[in-house]
């Protein structure tokens, strides 16, 4: 089996190579509970990730290891023999221990601005979601929903971001940061230089040039976390 680096490649392998009879996209859509265009986006590579309940349902239907389907890590199945689809689905019931989904809070931008501060009680987030990303400290992982147009065209309003507050940003990282007030902002991190005390001077850059760039030299900026995942639902 060749190295399958993308979700699209692994999904096609699970639908066309592993089973004795090719599985149609419409059948996968019905099993997962999504519209056929969503499956088309997975297969074309337009959607590069599959998360949470969709990942689990797709893996169960296809009879594959959900961790392999999501990341390419591990074997596609726990058996060397490719069985019929009914046996694959039954066997898939024992595969869910291979992936560790964690429940994380979905925060609004005020809660995100207070994250890891005493003022944030962590009790009443906007909602919850699930991810297999845990990082070094799973308690430092949270999610926010993109709002506004400052990060167009790559990030649209309504996109979901997974953020790791235990990571330090690198040049080019996308970050959630607090600018003066408690409310957070989402921007691209650009390191510039270091001051006389060895502190990094940086800018927070919007992808949309109609919005201003923020500089740590002129604004009080605290980096809250680094964006590690980007998810989007496509409208149908």
């Amino acid at each position: 089996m060749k190295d399958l680096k993308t979700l699209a490649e692994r999904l096609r392998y699970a639908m066309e190579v592993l089973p004795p009879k090719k599985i149609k996209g419409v059948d996968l859509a019905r099993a997962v509970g999504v519209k056929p265009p969503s499956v088309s986006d997975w297969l074309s590579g337009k959607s590069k990730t599959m998360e949470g309940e969709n990942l689990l349902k797709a893996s169960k239907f296809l009879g594959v290891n959900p961790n392999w389907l999501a990341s390419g890590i591990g074997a596609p199945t726990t058996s060397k023999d490719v069985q019929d689809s009914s046996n694959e689905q039954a066997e898939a019931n024992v595969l869910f221990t291979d992936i560790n989904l964690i429940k994380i809070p979905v925060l609004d931008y005020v809660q995100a601005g207070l994250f890891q501060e005493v003022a944030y009680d962590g009790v009443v987030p906007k909602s919850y979601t699930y991810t297999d990303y845990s990082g070094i400290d799973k308690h430092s992982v949270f999610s926010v929903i993109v709002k506004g147009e400052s990060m167009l065209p790559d990030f649209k309003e309504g996109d979901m971001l997974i953020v790791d507050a235990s990571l330090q940003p690198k040049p080019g990282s996308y970050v959630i940061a607090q600018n003066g007030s408690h409310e957070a902002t989402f921007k691209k991190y650009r390191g510039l230089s270091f001051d006389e005390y060895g502190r990094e001077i940086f800018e927070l850059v919007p992808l949309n040039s109609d919005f201003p760039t923020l500089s740590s030299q002129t604004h009080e900026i605290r980096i809250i976390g680094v964006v590690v995942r980007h998810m989007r639902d496509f409208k149908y």
Side-chain angles (χ1 to χ4, degrees):
M1 183 180 71
K2 67 177 183 178
D3 188 17
L4 305 175
K5 296 183 179 180
T6 67
L7 171 65
E9 292 174 331
R10 293 189 294 274
L11 197 57
R12 288 188 180 280
Y13 184 82
M15 295 173 66
E16 300 175 3
V17 179
L18 284 179
K21 183 180 179 180
K22 290 184 179 181
I23 296 174
K24 297 180 180 179
V26 65
D27 295 325
L28 178 61
R30 187 179 301 112
V32 177
V34 299
K35 300 289 186 181
S38 295
V39 175
S40 297
D41 289 340
W42 293 333
L43 290 170
S44 68
K46 190 175 181 180
S47 293
K48 300 184 184 302
T49 61
M50 187 188 300
E51 292 279 337
E53 188 175 356
N54 287 347
L55 174 64
L56 295 179
K57 287 183 177 180
S59 301
K60 180 178 179 180
F61 178 71
L62 297 171
V64 297
N65 180 339
N67 194 37
W68 170 82
L69 184 60
S71 64
I73 298 173
T77 67
T78 57
S79 173
K80 294 182 180 179
D81 299 322
V82 178
Q83 304 175 4
D84 60 41
S85 60
S86 62
N87 286 338
E88 284 179 355
Q89 292 181 48
E91 183 180 332
N93 289 333
V94 300
L95 295 177
F96 293 110
T97 55
D98 291 339
I99 187 169
N100 295 315
L101 289 177
I102 63 170
K103 186 177 183 180
I104 61 172
V106 179
L107 307 180
D108 62 31
Y109 276 64
V110 173
Q111 291 172 323
L114 295 171
F115 194 73
Q116 292 191 335
E117 287 189 1
V118 175
Y120 174 67
D121 57 18
V123 175
V124 189
K126 183 177 181 181
S127 63
Y128 291 94
T129 189
Y130 292 86
T131 181
D132 64 333
Y133 177 86
S134 58
I136 299 174
D137 177 10
K138 65 181 182 181
H139 299 294
S140 295
V141 180
F142 65 93
S143 177
V144 293
I145 307 298
V146 175
K147 67 177 185 179
E149 300 180 345
S150 66
M151 295 299 281
L152 288 175
D154 292 359
F155 300 88
K156 297 181 180 180
E157 186 157 1
D159 289 2
M160 175 175 283
L161 308 176
I162 305 297
V163 183
D164 189 339
S166 68
L167 298 179
Q168 294 297 317
K170 299 177 181 179
S173 294
Y174 293 106
V175 299
I176 302 297
Q178 183 190 77
N179 176 28
S181 66
H182 287 308
E183 189 165 357
T185 185
F186 167 45
K187 296 291 185 292
K188 187 174 183 178
Y189 183 90
R190 178 190 290 163
L192 298 177
S193 60
F194 293 89
D195 65 17
E196 60 203 66
Y197 302 103
R199 296 173 299 193
E200 186 167 20
I201 299 171
F202 61 88
E203 291 179 335
L204 298 183
V205 185
L207 299 184
N208 185 343
S209 59
D210 290 336
F211 290 79
T213 293
L214 303 177
S215 171
S216 64
Q217 291 181 300
T218 57
H219 295 79
E220 181 183 348
I221 302 174
R222 181 177 70 90
I223 303 298
I224 298 168
V226 176
V227 175
V228 294
R229 293 271 177 91
H230 173 208
M231 291 162 287
R232 174 179 299 166
D233 291 331
F234 290 90
K235 296 182 178 179
Y236 174 66

